[in-house]
Amino acid sequence: QLQLQESGPGLVKPSETLSLTCTVSGGSISISTYYWGWIRQPPGKGLEWIGSIFYRGTTYYNSSLESRATVSVDTSKNQFSLRLRSVTAADTSVYYCMRQVREDGGNGNDYYYMDVWGKGTTVTVSS
Amino acid sequence: SSELTQDPAVSVALGQTVRITCQGESLRNFYGGWYQQKPGQAPLLVLYHKNNRPSGIPDRFSGSTSGNTASLTITGSQAEDEADYYCNSRDRSGTVIFGGGTKLTVL
């Protein structure tokens, strides 16, 4: 059974860089069907997609975070990572890594959904 | 528009049927999933491809799409269905978008 596990510091200082890693177990990250990515959830609020990566390195990001976010992949370790630069208190959230399905449904339609999630890790931005 | 709109809160009596809706123009072409999130837990995919259930999701969960609206229906609601429910889609640039979430209370 595929499992995803986030790891990284739980406390980051303002203006510094948040770095998280997601380790994939029970399956390979190098499968053409899937993207791998990050979603966050501020306390008491909804879900916000940050960005996703294909195992060959193709990335795409939420335009609101693109200038600060970098998602990378290490297929030799079956891991992918998130770096978010210049953080502020507004970046305090639970961060989830996930597996994303992108399927062409034909006729200009497609399917984008997240079928496997990590348990999440809380990151607080504070001095 | 790249927004998805959900009712903030919905309630249902135990054993009754409830429909949770998600509205947005992107849903005419770009389909996502429905996610259940209980307090302190990660979201769980409960529906995809409009009306497919992942393994382990009870068949009381079903879905449909009409025009710009996607619906999640729970037939015979159980106490354990009380949770927040989110829909998702994508916009034309490929950005994944989520609805604001619906808090379901089972009375």
Side-chain angles (χ1 to χ4, degrees), chain A residues 39 41 45-47 49 60-62 96 100 103 108-115 117-119, chain B residues 28-33 35 37 41-43 45 48-50 86 88 90 94-96 98 100:
Chain A
I39 286 167
Q41 185 172 34
K45 296 188 178 180
L47 303 169
W49 172 73
Y60 72 120
Y61 298 97
N62 187 324
Y96 298 102
Q100 181 184 345
E103 295 177 342
N109 301 326
D110 62 29
Y111 300 96
Y112 275 42
Y113 57 92
M114 283 59 71
D115 66 340
W117 297 66
K119 289 184 174 7
Chain B
R28 295 185 184 278
N29 297 102
F30 309 131
Y31 311 109
Y35 308 85
Q37 187 179 34
Q41 295 184 17
L45 180 70
Y48 65 99
H49 282 196
K50 303 183 188 181
Y86 294 90
N88 91 276
R90 76 163 178 93
T95 295
V96 176
F98 287 94

Short mmCIF file of all heavy atoms in Angstrom, two decimals, chain A residues 39 41 45-47 49 60-62 96 100 103 108-115 117-119, chain B residues 28-33 35 37 41-43 45 48-50 86 88 90 94-96 98 100:
data_model
loop_
_atom_site.label_atom_id
_atom_site.label_comp_id
_atom_site.label_asym_id
_atom_site.label_seq_id
_atom_site.Cartn_x
_atom_site.Cartn_y
_atom_site.Cartn_z
N ILE A 39 0.16 20.49 -0.85
CA ILE A 39 -1.03 21.26 -0.53
C ILE A 39 -0.90 21.72 0.91
O ILE A 39 -0.36 20.99 1.74
CB ILE A 39 -2.29 20.40 -0.74
CG1 ILE A 39 -2.57 20.22 -2.24
CG2 ILE A 39 -3.51 21.00 -0.05
CD1 ILE A 39 -3.59 19.15 -2.57
N GLN A 41 -2.80 23.92 4.41
CA GLN A 41 -4.07 24.30 5.02
C GLN A 41 -3.78 25.15 6.25
O GLN A 41 -3.36 24.62 7.29
CB GLN A 41 -4.86 23.04 5.41
CG GLN A 41 -6.24 23.33 5.94
CD GLN A 41 -7.06 22.06 6.13
OE1 GLN A 41 -6.52 21.01 6.46
NE2 GLN A 41 -8.36 22.15 5.88
N LYS A 45 -8.75 26.94 8.12
CA LYS A 45 -9.12 27.36 6.77
C LYS A 45 -9.11 26.18 5.80
O LYS A 45 -8.92 25.03 6.18
CB LYS A 45 -8.17 28.47 6.31
CG LYS A 45 -8.27 29.74 7.14
CD LYS A 45 -7.45 30.86 6.53
CE LYS A 45 -7.61 32.14 7.35
NZ LYS A 45 -6.82 33.26 6.77
N GLY A 46 -9.32 26.50 4.53
CA GLY A 46 -9.43 25.47 3.51
C GLY A 46 -8.08 25.07 2.91
O GLY A 46 -7.02 25.47 3.36
N LEU A 47 -8.17 24.29 1.84
CA LEU A 47 -7.01 23.70 1.19
C LEU A 47 -6.48 24.61 0.08
O LEU A 47 -7.27 25.19 -0.68
CB LEU A 47 -7.38 22.34 0.60
CG LEU A 47 -7.93 21.32 1.60
CD1 LEU A 47 -8.51 20.11 0.87
CD2 LEU A 47 -6.84 20.88 2.57
N TRP A 49 -3.54 24.45 -3.02
CA TRP A 49 -2.51 23.73 -3.77
C TRP A 49 -1.31 24.63 -3.95
O TRP A 49 -1.45 25.81 -4.30
CB TRP A 49 -3.09 23.29 -5.10
CG TRP A 49 -2.10 22.70 -6.04
CD1 TRP A 49 -1.51 21.47 -5.96
CD2 TRP A 49 -1.60 23.31 -7.24
NE1 TRP A 49 -0.67 21.27 -7.03
CE2 TRP A 49 -0.71 22.38 -7.84
CE3 TRP A 49 -1.81 24.53 -7.87
CZ2 TRP A 49 -0.04 22.65 -9.02
CZ3 TRP A 49 -1.15 24.80 -9.06
CH2 TRP A 49 -0.27 23.85 -9.62
N TYR A 60 4.75 22.44 -12.09
CA TYR A 60 3.83 23.55 -12.28
C TYR A 60 3.34 23.99 -10.90
O TYR A 60 3.27 23.19 -9.97
CB TYR A 60 2.71 23.22 -13.25
CG TYR A 60 1.64 22.26 -12.80
CD1 TYR A 60 0.31 22.69 -12.77
CD2 TYR A 60 1.91 20.95 -12.46
CE1 TYR A 60 -0.70 21.84 -12.38
CE2 TYR A 60 0.91 20.09 -12.07
CZ TYR A 60 -0.39 20.53 -12.05
OH TYR A 60 -1.40 19.68 -11.66
N TYR A 61 3.03 25.28 -10.80
CA TYR A 61 2.81 25.90 -9.50
C TYR A 61 1.55 26.75 -9.48
O TYR A 61 1.10 27.26 -10.51
CB TYR A 61 3.99 26.82 -9.15
CG TYR A 61 5.32 26.12 -9.02
CD1 TYR A 61 6.21 26.09 -10.08
CD2 TYR A 61 5.67 25.48 -7.84
CE1 TYR A 61 7.44 25.44 -9.97
CE2 TYR A 61 6.89 24.83 -7.71
CZ TYR A 61 7.77 24.82 -8.78
OH TYR A 61 8.98 24.17 -8.67
N ASN A 62 1.04 26.96 -8.27
CA ASN A 62 0.03 27.96 -8.02
C ASN A 62 0.67 29.33 -8.30
O ASN A 62 1.72 29.64 -7.76
CB ASN A 62 -0.42 27.87 -6.56
CG ASN A 62 -1.60 28.76 -6.24
OD1 ASN A 62 -1.72 29.87 -6.77
ND2 ASN A 62 -2.45 28.30 -5.37
N TYR A 96 0.67 19.20 3.44
CA TYR A 96 0.42 17.82 3.03
C TYR A 96 1.17 17.54 1.72
O TYR A 96 1.10 18.36 0.79
CB TYR A 96 -1.06 17.57 2.78
CG TYR A 96 -1.96 17.74 3.97
CD1 TYR A 96 -2.72 18.89 4.14
CD2 TYR A 96 -2.10 16.72 4.90
CE1 TYR A 96 -3.58 19.04 5.22
CE2 TYR A 96 -2.95 16.85 5.99
CZ TYR A 96 -3.68 18.02 6.14
OH TYR A 96 -4.52 18.15 7.22
N GLN A 100 -0.92 13.03 -7.24
CA GLN A 100 -1.94 13.68 -8.05
C GLN A 100 -2.13 12.92 -9.36
O GLN A 100 -1.16 12.59 -10.05
CB GLN A 100 -1.53 15.12 -8.36
CG GLN A 100 -2.52 15.90 -9.19
CD GLN A 100 -2.00 17.28 -9.53
OE1 GLN A 100 -1.05 17.76 -8.95
NE2 GLN A 100 -2.63 17.92 -10.49
N GLU A 103 -5.52 12.99 -15.81
CA GLU A 103 -5.96 12.11 -16.88
C GLU A 103 -6.69 12.89 -17.95
O GLU A 103 -7.51 13.76 -17.65
CB GLU A 103 -6.90 11.02 -16.33
CG GLU A 103 -6.24 10.07 -15.36
CD GLU A 103 -7.23 9.07 -14.79
OE1 GLU A 103 -8.45 9.33 -14.89
OE2 GLU A 103 -6.78 8.06 -14.24
N GLY A 108 -11.59 17.57 -24.82
CA GLY A 108 -11.26 18.78 -24.08
C GLY A 108 -11.49 18.69 -22.60
O GLY A 108 -11.34 19.68 -21.87
N ASN A 109 -11.87 17.53 -22.14
CA ASN A 109 -12.10 17.33 -20.70
C ASN A 109 -10.92 16.61 -20.07
O ASN A 109 -10.23 15.83 -20.72
CB ASN A 109 -13.36 16.48 -20.48
CG ASN A 109 -14.59 17.13 -21.07
OD1 ASN A 109 -14.71 18.34 -21.10
ND2 ASN A 109 -15.49 16.30 -21.57
N ASP A 110 -10.67 16.85 -18.79
CA ASP A 110 -9.68 16.06 -18.09
C ASP A 110 -10.01 15.95 -16.60
O ASP A 110 -10.95 16.57 -16.12
CB ASP A 110 -8.25 16.57 -18.31
CG ASP A 110 -8.05 17.98 -17.81
OD1 ASP A 110 -8.73 18.40 -16.85
OD2 ASP A 110 -7.18 18.69 -18.38
N TYR A 111 -9.22 15.12 -15.95
CA TYR A 111 -9.46 14.80 -14.55
C TYR A 111 -8.19 15.11 -13.76
O TYR A 111 -7.12 14.64 -14.10
CB TYR A 111 -9.80 13.32 -14.38
CG TYR A 111 -11.03 12.89 -15.13
CD1 TYR A 111 -10.95 12.31 -16.39
CD2 TYR A 111 -12.30 13.08 -14.56
CE1 TYR A 111 -12.09 11.92 -17.07
CE2 TYR A 111 -13.43 12.68 -15.25
CZ TYR A 111 -13.32 12.11 -16.50
OH TYR A 111 -14.45 11.73 -17.17
N TYR A 112 -8.36 15.91 -12.72
CA TYR A 112 -7.25 16.24 -11.82
C TYR A 112 -7.74 15.93 -10.41
O TYR A 112 -8.64 16.59 -9.91
CB TYR A 112 -6.93 17.73 -11.87
CG TYR A 112 -6.01 18.23 -12.94
CD1 TYR A 112 -6.09 17.75 -14.23
CD2 TYR A 112 -5.06 19.20 -12.63
CE1 TYR A 112 -5.25 18.25 -15.20
CE2 TYR A 112 -4.21 19.70 -13.60
CZ TYR A 112 -4.31 19.23 -14.88
OH TYR A 112 -3.47 19.71 -15.85
N TYR A 113 -7.13 14.96 -9.73
CA TYR A 113 -7.52 14.72 -8.35
C TYR A 113 -6.37 14.10 -7.59
O TYR A 113 -5.41 13.61 -8.18
CB TYR A 113 -8.77 13.83 -8.28
CG TYR A 113 -8.65 12.49 -8.97
CD1 TYR A 113 -8.24 11.36 -8.28
CD2 TYR A 113 -9.00 12.36 -10.32
CE1 TYR A 113 -8.14 10.14 -8.92
CE2 TYR A 113 -8.89 11.14 -10.97
CZ TYR A 113 -8.47 10.03 -10.26
OH TYR A 113 -8.37 8.82 -10.90
N MET A 114 -6.44 14.15 -6.28
CA MET A 114 -5.36 13.71 -5.39
C MET A 114 -5.83 12.45 -4.67
O MET A 114 -6.77 12.50 -3.88
CB MET A 114 -5.05 14.81 -4.37
CG MET A 114 -4.23 15.98 -4.93
SD MET A 114 -4.96 16.86 -6.32
CE MET A 114 -6.29 17.72 -5.49
N ASP A 115 -5.20 11.31 -4.98
CA ASP A 115 -5.73 10.04 -4.47
C ASP A 115 -4.99 9.49 -3.26
O ASP A 115 -5.51 8.58 -2.60
CB ASP A 115 -5.80 9.01 -5.59
CG ASP A 115 -4.45 8.59 -6.12
OD1 ASP A 115 -3.45 9.33 -5.92
OD2 ASP A 115 -4.37 7.52 -6.76
N TRP A 117 -2.62 10.83 0.19
CA TRP A 117 -2.14 11.98 0.95
C TRP A 117 -1.24 11.51 2.09
O TRP A 117 -1.46 10.45 2.67
CB TRP A 117 -3.32 12.74 1.56
CG TRP A 117 -4.28 13.34 0.59
CD1 TRP A 117 -5.11 12.68 -0.27
CD2 TRP A 117 -4.56 14.74 0.43
NE1 TRP A 117 -5.87 13.57 -0.98
CE2 TRP A 117 -5.56 14.84 -0.57
CE3 TRP A 117 -4.08 15.90 1.02
CZ2 TRP A 117 -6.07 16.08 -0.99
CZ3 TRP A 117 -4.59 17.13 0.61
CH2 TRP A 117 -5.57 17.21 -0.39
N GLY A 118 -0.26 12.35 2.43
CA GLY A 118 0.47 12.14 3.67
C GLY A 118 -0.39 12.58 4.84
O GLY A 118 -1.45 13.18 4.65
N LYS A 119 0.07 12.32 6.05
CA LYS A 119 -0.69 12.68 7.24
C LYS A 119 -0.62 14.18 7.52
O LYS A 119 -1.45 14.71 8.26
CB LYS A 119 -0.15 11.94 8.46
CG LYS A 119 -0.47 10.45 8.46
CD LYS A 119 0.02 9.83 9.74
CE LYS A 119 -0.33 8.39 9.97
NZ LYS A 119 -0.95 7.62 8.98
N ARG B 28 -17.34 22.48 -15.95
CA ARG B 28 -17.93 22.06 -17.24
C ARG B 28 -16.96 21.17 -18.01
O ARG B 28 -17.38 20.36 -18.84
CB ARG B 28 -18.28 23.30 -18.07
CG ARG B 28 -19.37 24.17 -17.46
CD ARG B 28 -19.76 25.31 -18.37
NE ARG B 28 -20.74 26.20 -17.73
CZ ARG B 28 -22.05 25.98 -17.69
NH1 ARG B 28 -22.55 24.88 -18.24
NH2 ARG B 28 -22.85 26.84 -17.10
N ASN B 29 -15.64 21.33 -17.77
CA ASN B 29 -14.66 20.58 -18.54
C ASN B 29 -13.61 19.85 -17.69
O ASN B 29 -13.04 18.86 -18.13
CB ASN B 29 -13.91 21.50 -19.49
CG ASN B 29 -14.80 22.13 -20.51
OD1 ASN B 29 -15.18 23.29 -20.40
ND2 ASN B 29 -15.19 21.36 -21.51
N PHE B 30 -13.35 20.36 -16.50
CA PHE B 30 -12.22 19.86 -15.71
C PHE B 30 -12.74 19.29 -14.40
O PHE B 30 -13.22 20.00 -13.54
CB PHE B 30 -11.23 20.98 -15.45
CG PHE B 30 -10.82 21.73 -16.70
CD1 PHE B 30 -10.83 23.11 -16.73
CD2 PHE B 30 -10.42 21.04 -17.84
CE1 PHE B 30 -10.47 23.80 -17.88
CE2 PHE B 30 -10.06 21.72 -18.99
CZ PHE B 30 -10.09 23.10 -19.02
N TYR B 31 -12.62 17.99 -14.29
CA TYR B 31 -13.23 17.30 -13.17
C TYR B 31 -12.17 16.90 -12.15
O TYR B 31 -11.05 16.55 -12.49
CB TYR B 31 -13.97 16.06 -13.67
CG TYR B 31 -14.89 16.36 -14.83
CD1 TYR B 31 -14.59 15.93 -16.11
CD2 TYR B 31 -16.02 17.14 -14.64
CE1 TYR B 31 -15.41 16.24 -17.18
CE2 TYR B 31 -16.85 17.45 -15.69
CZ TYR B 31 -16.54 17.00 -16.96
OH TYR B 31 -17.35 17.31 -18.01
N GLY B 32 -12.54 16.97 -10.90
CA GLY B 32 -11.61 16.63 -9.84
C GLY B 32 -12.16 15.54 -8.97
O GLY B 32 -12.61 14.51 -9.45
N GLY B 33 -12.11 15.78 -7.67
CA GLY B 33 -12.60 14.79 -6.74
C GLY B 33 -13.32 15.46 -5.59
O GLY B 33 -13.40 16.68 -5.50
N TYR B 35 -13.35 15.25 -1.32
CA TYR B 35 -12.50 14.84 -0.22
C TYR B 35 -13.23 15.03 1.10
O TYR B 35 -13.90 16.04 1.31
CB TYR B 35 -11.20 15.66 -0.21
CG TYR B 35 -10.52 15.64 -1.54
CD1 TYR B 35 -10.87 16.54 -2.53
CD2 TYR B 35 -9.57 14.68 -1.86
CE1 TYR B 35 -10.30 16.51 -3.79
CE2 TYR B 35 -8.99 14.63 -3.11
CZ TYR B 35 -9.36 15.55 -4.07
OH TYR B 35 -8.80 15.49 -5.31
N GLN B 37 -12.65 15.37 5.15
CA GLN B 37 -11.61 15.66 6.14
C GLN B 37 -12.22 15.74 7.53
O GLN B 37 -13.06 16.59 7.79
CB GLN B 37 -10.87 16.96 5.81
CG GLN B 37 -9.68 17.20 6.73
CD GLN B 37 -8.92 18.47 6.41
OE1 GLN B 37 -9.49 19.47 5.99
NE2 GLN B 37 -7.60 18.43 6.61
N GLN B 41 -7.13 15.23 10.78
CA GLN B 41 -6.73 14.22 9.81
C GLN B 41 -6.49 14.83 8.44
O GLN B 41 -6.96 15.93 8.14
CB GLN B 41 -7.81 13.14 9.69
CG GLN B 41 -8.01 12.34 10.96
CD GLN B 41 -9.01 11.22 10.76
OE1 GLN B 41 -9.34 10.81 9.64
NE2 GLN B 41 -9.52 10.69 11.87
N ALA B 42 -5.77 14.10 7.61
CA ALA B 42 -5.58 14.51 6.23
C ALA B 42 -6.86 14.29 5.44
O ALA B 42 -7.69 13.44 5.79
CB ALA B 42 -4.44 13.71 5.60
N PRO B 43 -7.05 15.05 4.38
CA PRO B 43 -8.19 14.78 3.50
C PRO B 43 -8.12 13.36 2.93
O PRO B 43 -7.04 12.81 2.74
CB PRO B 43 -8.03 15.82 2.39
CG PRO B 43 -7.23 16.93 3.02
CD PRO B 43 -6.29 16.23 3.95
N LEU B 45 -9.77 11.05 -0.25
CA LEU B 45 -10.55 11.04 -1.49
C LEU B 45 -11.73 10.09 -1.35
O LEU B 45 -11.54 8.91 -1.03
CB LEU B 45 -9.66 10.59 -2.65
CG LEU B 45 -10.30 10.52 -4.03
CD1 LEU B 45 -10.61 11.92 -4.56
CD2 LEU B 45 -9.38 9.79 -5.02
N TYR B 48 -14.12 10.26 -7.35
CA TYR B 48 -13.36 10.80 -8.46
C TYR B 48 -14.05 10.40 -9.76
O TYR B 48 -14.97 9.57 -9.75
CB TYR B 48 -11.91 10.32 -8.43
CG TYR B 48 -11.74 8.82 -8.64
CD1 TYR B 48 -11.38 8.32 -9.87
CD2 TYR B 48 -11.95 7.93 -7.59
CE1 TYR B 48 -11.24 6.95 -10.07
CE2 TYR B 48 -11.81 6.56 -7.78
CZ TYR B 48 -11.44 6.08 -9.02
OH TYR B 48 -11.31 4.73 -9.21
N HIS B 49 -13.62 10.99 -10.88
CA HIS B 49 -14.27 10.71 -12.17
C HIS B 49 -15.78 10.88 -12.06
O HIS B 49 -16.54 10.06 -12.56
CB HIS B 49 -13.96 9.29 -12.64
CG HIS B 49 -12.61 9.12 -13.24
ND1 HIS B 49 -12.28 8.03 -14.00
CD2 HIS B 49 -11.50 9.88 -13.18
CE1 HIS B 49 -11.02 8.13 -14.38
NE2 HIS B 49 -10.52 9.24 -13.90
N LYS B 50 -16.19 11.93 -11.41
CA LYS B 50 -17.60 12.30 -11.21
C LYS B 50 -18.33 11.36 -10.25
O LYS B 50 -19.06 11.80 -9.38
CB LYS B 50 -18.36 12.34 -12.54
CG LYS B 50 -17.78 13.27 -13.59
CD LYS B 50 -18.66 13.27 -14.82
CE LYS B 50 -18.03 14.03 -15.96
NZ LYS B 50 -18.89 14.05 -17.18
N TYR B 86 -14.56 18.78 0.69
CA TYR B 86 -14.01 19.70 -0.29
C TYR B 86 -14.12 19.11 -1.69
O TYR B 86 -13.92 17.90 -1.88
CB TYR B 86 -12.52 19.97 0.00
CG TYR B 86 -12.24 20.71 1.28
CD1 TYR B 86 -12.02 20.01 2.47
CD2 TYR B 86 -12.17 22.10 1.31
CE1 TYR B 86 -11.75 20.68 3.65
CE2 TYR B 86 -11.90 22.77 2.49
CZ TYR B 86 -11.70 22.06 3.65
OH TYR B 86 -11.44 22.74 4.82
N ASN B 88 -12.66 19.68 -5.81
CA ASN B 88 -11.58 20.33 -6.54
C ASN B 88 -11.79 20.24 -8.04
O ASN B 88 -12.54 19.39 -8.54
CB ASN B 88 -10.21 19.76 -6.14
CG ASN B 88 -9.74 18.60 -7.00
OD1 ASN B 88 -10.11 17.45 -6.78
ND2 ASN B 88 -8.95 18.90 -8.02
N ARG B 90 -9.69 22.25 -11.80
CA ARG B 90 -8.52 23.02 -12.19
C ARG B 90 -8.97 24.17 -13.08
O ARG B 90 -10.05 24.10 -13.67
CB ARG B 90 -7.51 22.15 -12.94
CG ARG B 90 -7.86 21.83 -14.39
CD ARG B 90 -6.63 21.34 -15.11
NE ARG B 90 -6.84 20.96 -16.49
CZ ARG B 90 -6.67 21.76 -17.54
NH1 ARG B 90 -6.35 23.03 -17.35
NH2 ARG B 90 -6.82 21.30 -18.78
N GLY B 94 -4.13 25.25 -15.57
CA GLY B 94 -3.68 24.02 -14.95
C GLY B 94 -3.58 24.09 -13.44
O GLY B 94 -3.26 23.10 -12.79
N THR B 95 -3.85 25.26 -12.88
CA THR B 95 -3.80 25.42 -11.43
C THR B 95 -4.90 24.59 -10.78
O THR B 95 -6.07 24.70 -11.15
CB THR B 95 -3.97 26.89 -11.04
OG1 THR B 95 -2.85 27.63 -11.55
CG2 THR B 95 -4.03 27.06 -9.53
N VAL B 96 -4.51 23.80 -9.80
CA VAL B 96 -5.50 23.02 -9.05
C VAL B 96 -6.25 23.98 -8.11
O VAL B 96 -5.63 24.77 -7.40
CB VAL B 96 -4.81 21.92 -8.22
CG1 VAL B 96 -5.83 21.18 -7.35
CG2 VAL B 96 -4.08 20.95 -9.13
N PHE B 98 -9.58 24.45 -5.22
CA PHE B 98 -10.48 23.79 -4.28
C PHE B 98 -11.65 24.69 -3.95
O PHE B 98 -11.52 25.93 -3.94
CB PHE B 98 -9.75 23.49 -2.96
CG PHE B 98 -8.76 22.36 -3.05
CD1 PHE B 98 -7.42 22.60 -3.30
CD2 PHE B 98 -9.18 21.04 -2.87
CE1 PHE B 98 -6.52 21.56 -3.38
CE2 PHE B 98 -8.28 20.00 -2.94
CZ PHE B 98 -6.95 20.25 -3.21
N GLY B 100 -14.30 26.06 -1.04
CA GLY B 100 -14.02 26.51 0.32
C GLY B 100 -14.34 25.50 1.40
O GLY B 100 -13.98 25.71 2.56
#
